[in-house]
């Protein structure tokens, strides 16, 4: 019987990250689910994933801190002995117009979204290089492709992830490590549920498919990029946005 592969998913206990983790669990991956909130009920998460029959390590770490990422990766190796997939999903928003944006709001978004992606990748890559295989999927955003007023910090962080992805894809291809990104548009999550119907209707006018995406649709694209079905794809960004950005 083939040994289960191992995937680390950051920001994995809710929203898109949780759907990504569930998809990998359905595909018999053993998992490391990263979270940061002190209020997270880790026992409930472990119970939820029991139905998939895979092993799950739920690990608290602030991805903006290099040493905490290092410890997360070490804990993964201690438990599973390898890392096949890294999904850099953890991210935050602190929106505001540039004339009123505080320095702290810019720094925190860059530290978590962009530096966090570096911190996790830097600690995972040596293990992938040693076994000469691996997949890294970074979660960017369509605002990293096209920009968005009031989100200069978030757009900068997500655009940075795209440049990071393309550079790493070139750097690591010789070691059989593929690096790709997904760029979600408006996805139906807790973040978008707070929007009024009027705001949503305005959003739909910008989307050719006239609806928001579902988190499971993002998860499917992420899994595809981690699978052998995409074995000749690296350095790419897949927009998951209903055609909003073409």
């Amino acid at each position: 019987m083939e040994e289960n592969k191992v995937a680390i998913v950051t920001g994995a206990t809710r929203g898109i990250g949780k759907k990504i983790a569930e998809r990998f669990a359905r595909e018999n991956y053993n998992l490391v689910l990263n979270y940061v909130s002190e209020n997270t009920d880790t026992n409930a998460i472990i119970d939820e994933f029991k139905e998939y029959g895979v092993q799950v390590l739920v690990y608290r770490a602030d991805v903006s801190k290099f040493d905490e990422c290092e410890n997360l990766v070490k804990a993964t190796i201690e438990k599973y002995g390898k890392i096949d997939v890294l999904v850099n999903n953890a991210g935050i928003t602190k929106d505001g117009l540039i004339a009123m944006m505080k320095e702290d709001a810019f720094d925190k978004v860059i530290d978590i979204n962009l530096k966090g992606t570096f911190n996790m990748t830097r600690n995972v890559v040596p293990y992938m290089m040693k076994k000469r295989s691996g997949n890294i999927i970074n979660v960017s955003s369509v605002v990293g492709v096209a920009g968005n007023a009031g989100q200069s910090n978030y757009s900068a962080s997500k655009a940075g992830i795209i440049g990071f992805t393309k550079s790493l894809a070139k750097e690591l291809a010789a070691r059989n490590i593929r690096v790709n990104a997904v760029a979600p548009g408006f996805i139906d999550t807790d973040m978008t549920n707070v929007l009024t119907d009027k705001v949503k209707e305005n959003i739909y006018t910008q989307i050719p498919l006239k609806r928001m995406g579902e988190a499971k649709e993002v998860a499917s694209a992420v899994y595809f990029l981690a699978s052998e079905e995409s074995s000749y794809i690296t350095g790419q960004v897949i927009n998951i946005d209903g055609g909003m950005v073409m």
Side-chain angles (χ1 to χ4, degrees):
M1 187 174 176
E2 188 179 352
E3 185 183 7
N4 285 17
K5 290 185 176 181
V6 176
I8 299 174
V9 183
T10 65
T13 57
R14 59 191 179 91
I16 291 172
K18 188 175 181 184
K19 286 297 181 186
I20 291 170
E22 288 172 355
R23 179 58 192 270
F24 278 94
R26 287 204 304 273
E27 303 293 342
N28 294 317
Y29 275 70
N30 291 331
L31 296 167
V32 177
L33 308 182
N34 157 255
Y35 72 100
V36 71
S37 172
E38 292 180 353
N39 301 320
T40 301
D41 187 342
T42 57
N43 290 326
I45 293 162
I46 291 169
D47 286 342
E48 282 184 54
F49 278 84
K50 277 182 181 175
E51 66 178 275
Y52 298 107
V54 297
Q55 295 184 60
V56 177
L57 172 64
V58 183
Y59 195 99
R60 184 168 183 242
D62 180 346
V63 297
S64 70
K65 294 181 169 57
F66 188 89
D67 60 335
E68 293 189 22
C69 293
E70 185 178 28
N71 291 335
L72 186 162
V73 172
K74 284 180 178 177
T76 302
I77 294 298
E78 285 172 11
K79 183 172 178 64
Y80 299 123
K82 64 175 182 174
I83 301 165
D84 297 290
V85 175
L86 169 64
V87 181
N88 285 308
N89 169 73
I92 63 166
T93 57
K94 285 186 174 292
D95 298 347
L97 298 173
I98 193 67
M100 294 177 284
M101 186 177 289
K102 303 292 186 186
E103 182 182 10
D104 181 62
F106 191 90
D107 288 347
K108 280 190 174 174
V109 169
I110 296 294
D111 284 348
I112 291 172
N113 299 6
L114 182 55
K115 181 74 185 311
T117 297
F118 163 79
N119 287 343
M120 284 301 303
T121 304
R122 171 62 183 82
N123 281 292
V124 163
V125 159
Y127 296 101
M128 289 185 172
M129 289 179 73
K130 189 174 181 181
K131 72 185 190 74
R132 300 188 71 86
S133 69
N135 271 290
I136 300 168
I137 299 97
N138 299 320
V139 179
S140 180
S141 167
V142 290
V143 305
V145 177
N148 193 37
Q151 289 192 303
S152 58
N153 51 359
Y154 187 73
S155 297
S157 72
K158 294 300 188 177
I161 286 172
I162 291 172
F164 183 75
T165 298
K166 290 178 179 291
S167 294
L168 279 189
K170 291 181 176 180
E171 190 174 319
L172 298 174
R175 297 296 184 104
N176 195 34
I177 300 168
R178 297 189 293 112
V179 190
N180 291 289
V182 294
F186 285 102
I187 306 299
D188 188 10
T189 62
D190 291 343
M191 197 181 296
T192 55
N193 285 341
V194 300
L195 301 175
T196 65
D197 289 341
K198 187 174 181 180
V199 170
K200 286 181 180 179
E201 286 300 323
N202 184 53
I203 288 169
Y204 298 153
T205 64
Q206 305 170 46
I207 303 172
L209 288 182
K210 301 300 179 190
R211 68 172 176 87
M212 288 193 186
E214 297 181 35
K216 67 180 182 180
E217 293 173 312
V218 179
S220 291
V222 170
Y223 177 73
F224 166 72
L225 289 172
S227 75
E228 286 303 307
E229 297 295 318
S230 63
S231 57
Y232 201 51
I233 299 174
T234 194
Q236 303 305 306
V237 182
I238 298 179
N239 291 353
I240 309 167
D241 63 356
M244 189 172 72
V245 175
M246 296 189 191

